[in-house]
Amino acid sequence: MLGSLLLGASRLPLVRRTVSGVPLTRKVVDRFVAGETPQEAVEAIRGLAATGLTVTVDHLGEETRDSAAATRTARAYVTLLGALGGLGLGDRAEVSVKLSAVGQALGADGDKIALENARQICEAAGALGSTVTLDMEDHTTVDSTLETLRALREDFPSTGVAVQSYLFRTEADCRDLAYEGSRVRLVKGAYAEPASVAHRRKSEVDRAYVRCLRILMSGAGYPMVATHDDRLISITETLADRFARSRGDYEYQMLYGVRADKQQALAGAGHTVRVYIPYGDDWYGYFMRRLAERPANIAFFLRALGGK
């Protein structure tokens, strides 16, 4: 219930101004966001890469309503990828892109603009041996995102996509996407969705996650298992054994600032572990979804506000 309230509040301008204006909010944001500048993001990437982890980088922003802003976001990705290539980190890092940040929400031409901007990012990633994963947003954007994915994969077949287990449709989407070479990130979902399209109870979302995971692990694609849940990690290992997947045939993904000890333990056991690193000044929506996802994050925020 609290998570749903936070997700709903995250779209209210008054709440945004209030939360953003609290000085101590920055203390908590710094746990989940690797700074506001490309330089800060690169430093975080270098630090994680030095410990054996791989990363996917998100330039924060979404629902862009201005074509110039969408172009600037695409250029920011290209610039960041250039910096990573110059440091020899191209094989350790990919980028995650929200299509709404690069033009998807710009009316009738939005899909075309987003595709053009995403192509530029994919070209820059490909030039240094990296790739791109398309983040999934609320349910109204799923068909558009999957259509853009299909177009991008014609020239950039390694382009990945995220799918959300709480949506009723996702099991069918997993079946469609579980083909050779298809990179699919499975997440639970972190947007406020109506009961008509999504599971609402945690137990239902978890069960749907396992069903989707089984489809992906039994398929021919490359599952990217995005979870911090020990039980789901154990189920992943069971399914990997059942379907004869080696540790190079799938990977784990976890959020920057969440369960760093588990990230290191899995990497130390020979797994590929990719850390989702967000950076940028438009951190509010991302931050609120992280609070809504886990009660422990809310408690951390309240302790920070209390100066503890």
Side-chain angles (χ1 to χ4, degrees):
M1 178 64 72
L2 182 56
S4 297
L5 291 173
L6 283 168
L7 289 173
S10 70
R11 293 182 175 271
L12 299 177
L14 177 60
V15 176
R16 182 186 186 108
R17 289 194 298 270
T18 301
V19 173
S20 300
V22 176
L24 283 173
T25 298
R26 171 52 56 186
K27 177 180 178 181
V28 187
V29 172
D30 286 345
R31 171 178 174 174
F32 301 113
V33 178
E36 297 188 353
T37 68
Q39 293 77 19
E40 290 172 312
V42 168
E43 285 305 306
I45 294 164
R46 291 177 68 175
L48 291 171
T51 67
L53 299 168
T54 60
V55 303
T56 184
V57 189
D58 174 18
H59 181 269
L60 291 171
E62 52 196 274
E63 297 184 359
T64 298
R65 303 290 177 177
D66 177 82
S67 59
T71 299
R72 286 195 297 272
T73 297
R75 288 176 179 168
Y77 274 107
V78 171
T79 298
L80 176 68
L81 285 162
L84 295 176
L87 293 171
L89 294 173
D91 61 341
R92 305 293 297 172
E94 62 149 48
V95 295
S96 289
V97 177
K98 288 180 174 61
L99 290 178
S100 75
V102 293
Q104 187 182 53
L106 296 177
D109 293 329
D111 288 342
K112 179 181 178 181
I113 294 169
L115 176 58
E116 291 174 352
N117 283 327
R119 280 189 183 280
Q120 292 179 27
I121 300 169
C122 287
E123 289 171 356
L128 54 95
S130 184
T131 190
V132 174
T133 294
L134 302 181
D135 280 329
M136 194 62 77
E137 301 177 70
D138 71 73
H139 78 278
T140 65
T141 68
V142 176
D143 285 330
S144 171
T145 299
L146 292 177
E147 184 60 35
T148 299
L149 174 73
R150 284 188 283 271
L152 289 171
R153 282 184 171 177
E154 292 178 4
D155 296 315
F156 309 100
S158 65
T159 304
V161 69
V163 294
Q164 302 161 316
S165 73
Y166 70 171
L167 295 180
F168 297 147
R169 63 171 291 167
T170 300
E171 287 179 62
D173 288 333
C174 285
R175 292 188 185 95
D176 291 341
L177 289 165
Y179 56 83
E180 183 70 31
S182 177
R183 299 170 59 253
V184 182
R185 174 195 296 150
L186 179 61
V187 304
K188 290 183 179 180
Y191 290 82
E193 298 285 13
S196 59
V197 301
H199 301 288
R200 305 298 293 273
R201 295 180 180 176
K202 181 182 182 302
S203 60
E204 294 173 342
V205 175
D206 286 354
R207 285 194 290 269
Y209 191 100
V210 173
R211 293 194 298 271
C212 292
L213 180 61
R214 184 178 291 110
I215 292 167
L216 295 175
M217 294 294 280
S218 65
Y222 181 77
M224 300 181 287
V225 186
T227 184
H228 308 96
D229 187 324
D230 285 329
R231 185 175 63 88
L232 292 178
I233 291 170
S234 178
I235 291 171
T236 300
E237 293 306 295
T238 298
L239 291 173
D241 289 341
R242 180 179 303 171
F243 297 113
R245 283 186 175 269
S246 69
R247 291 183 177 178
D249 289 336
Y250 63 100
E251 68 181 49
Y252 288 106
Q253 296 196 355
M254 296 186 178
L255 298 172
Y256 180 76
V258 180
R259 299 209 67 186
D261 56 342
K262 189 64 175 181
Q263 296 171 16
Q264 292 293 341
L266 287 169
H271 291 285
T272 297
V273 180
R274 193 174 303 277
V275 181
Y276 188 102
I277 298 183
Y279 83 98
D281 56 11
D282 191 8
W283 49 262
Y284 176 76
Y286 178 86
F287 170 67
M288 292 296 283
R289 287 194 293 276
R290 298 296 76 76
L291 291 186
E293 282 177 339
R294 300 178 71 233
N297 293 342
I298 300 171
F300 181 84
F301 183 39
L302 294 176
R303 286 197 302 270
L305 293 181
K308 297 180 181 178

